[in-house]
Amino acid sequence: MSEKLAMDGLPPLREIIEKHNLAAKKSLGQNFLCDLNLTSKIARYAGSLDGVTVVEIGPGPGGLTRALLMEGAKKVIAIEMDPRTEPALEEISNHHDGKLQVVFGDALKQDMQALVSGRTKIIANLPYNVATQLLLNWLEHNPWPTWFESMTLMFQKEVVERIVANPNSKAYGRLSVICQWRCDVKLAFTVDKANFMPPPKVTSAIVHMVPKPLSADAPSLKSLSTITLAAFNQRRKMLRASLKNTLPNAIDFLTALNIDPTLRADALPVEGYLKIAKAYENLED
Ligand code: SAM
């Protein structure tokens, strides 16, 4: 082991990985970031962490965790599935006066809100196998706006492109509508494969999402899901055809809402989906 310490006074990440035998497991979506300059850049994108509790999913050997603490987070609550990381994370916690609390288990099964109090941000390099489901769980939270101020998340670049996509693009779909309905979304920057150990097959990207208030006449997530699922499942068809089995008389229904029934799913902006979902919901009452 080298004597050289990283900028936070702890051993370099590659040494930690070697010392604790943290060979990456594919089944856990493990691709580790080893450059504290890069993880600090991610942490800074979330804005000031002064007085903020950060929820991190999947700290692994702690590359992003260390940056969050260096950038001044009041506390980091990290949820990790892999018990092999315990000694590495304990070392970080001791170095930072216990500001790091690690919960071992499956993030999908955690009541995260119960773990935090005060101002909270979610910042994570998400395990790819559960990333979209975690995001949808956070977006589905009621009441809204919710227990976190923002989410700064790393996904595969294609997923981020879907989250931020505009109408009339190939990436525009259900995920774009649901994310942009509930949050202001921004692609922060992309991260090349070469920055990971081991390098994944695809490029990654960071998205920054800030919950925004819902309007008084917002539809339920359930009806929005029903409508977007039907529309985008047949995205090349006109809405009058793709929504035929969901709406009673699709052409009249859409025309009454001032929505052109001959549009295809990817041409209708988010507001259009909200209008249809609300009217559909009123129909069910
Ligand atoms: N944050 C580290 C980094 O940036 O180097 C590791 C990120 S790695 C892409 C994903 C991490 O999530 C791994 O440490 C993995 O063990 C963990 N993980 C995988 N599935 C999980 C789950 N369901 N709940 C909590 N952690 C999980």
Side-chain angles (χ1 to χ4, degrees), residues 9-208:
L10 284 164
L13 278 151
R14 285 178 194 276
E15 263 185 34
I16 300 256
I17 291 171
E18 207 177 304
K19 178 172 147 196
H20 298 291
N21 253 329
L22 295 176
K25 284 192 181 171
K26 217 174 163 186
S27 60
L28 287 173
Q30 292 183 336
N31 300 97
F32 301 131
L33 290 170
C34 294
D35 177 358
L36 283 180
N37 288 308
L38 174 61
T39 53
S40 297
K41 185 177 167 188
I42 299 170
R44 282 195 298 274
Y45 205 92
S48 166
L49 298 183
D50 229 23
V52 170
T53 296
V54 176
V55 170
E56 184 194 3
I57 311 303
L64 180 56
T65 321
R66 287 166 60 171
L68 297 170
L69 291 161
M70 270 197 297
E71 292 300 323
K74 182 174 86 174
K75 192 167 182 186
V76 175
I77 298 178
I79 304 166
E80 172 57 62
M81 188 99 149
D82 188 349
R84 296 179 308 158
T85 60
E86 190 169 359
L89 295 172
E90 199 172 83
E91 208 173 317
I92 300 172
S93 183
N94 292 339
H95 186 73
H96 285 278
D97 304 324
K99 283 184 187 168
L100 168 63
Q101 178 192 334
V102 186
V103 178
F104 283 96
D106 183 349
L108 284 173
K109 295 189 182 141
Q110 279 296 325
D111 177 359
M112 293 179 205
Q113 187 176 15
L115 298 172
V116 298
S117 61
R119 293 183 54 209
T120 304
K121 298 183 178 187
I122 302 175
I123 307 174
N125 170 12
L126 293 175
Y128 289 153
N129 37 354
V130 290
T132 313
Q133 191 53 54
L134 280 168
L135 175 63
L136 288 172
N137 292 355
W138 289 322
L139 288 171
E140 283 174 13
H141 195 270
N142 269 323
W144 191 269
T146 180
W147 55 273
F148 49 86
E149 306 185 350
S150 63
M151 299 184 273
T152 307
L153 303 172
M154 184 185 287
F155 292 92
Q156 301 183 25
K157 184 169 159 245
E158 285 68 22
V159 176
V160 173
E161 283 170 349
R162 283 164 51 208
I163 292 171
V164 304
N166 290 321
N168 295 311
S169 65
K170 232 168 118 185
Y172 185 64
R174 280 191 84 204
L175 194 61
S176 332
V177 173
I178 291 174
C179 291
Q180 294 174 32
W181 168 43
R182 293 226 157 183
C183 292
D184 287 317
V185 302
K186 191 166 192 285
L187 189 161
F189 52 91
T190 57
V191 179
D192 192 81
K193 305 172 211 192
N195 289 290
F196 296 86
M197 212 174 107
K201 288 204 177 75
V202 293
T203 305
S204 299
I206 305 285
V207 67
H208 185 64

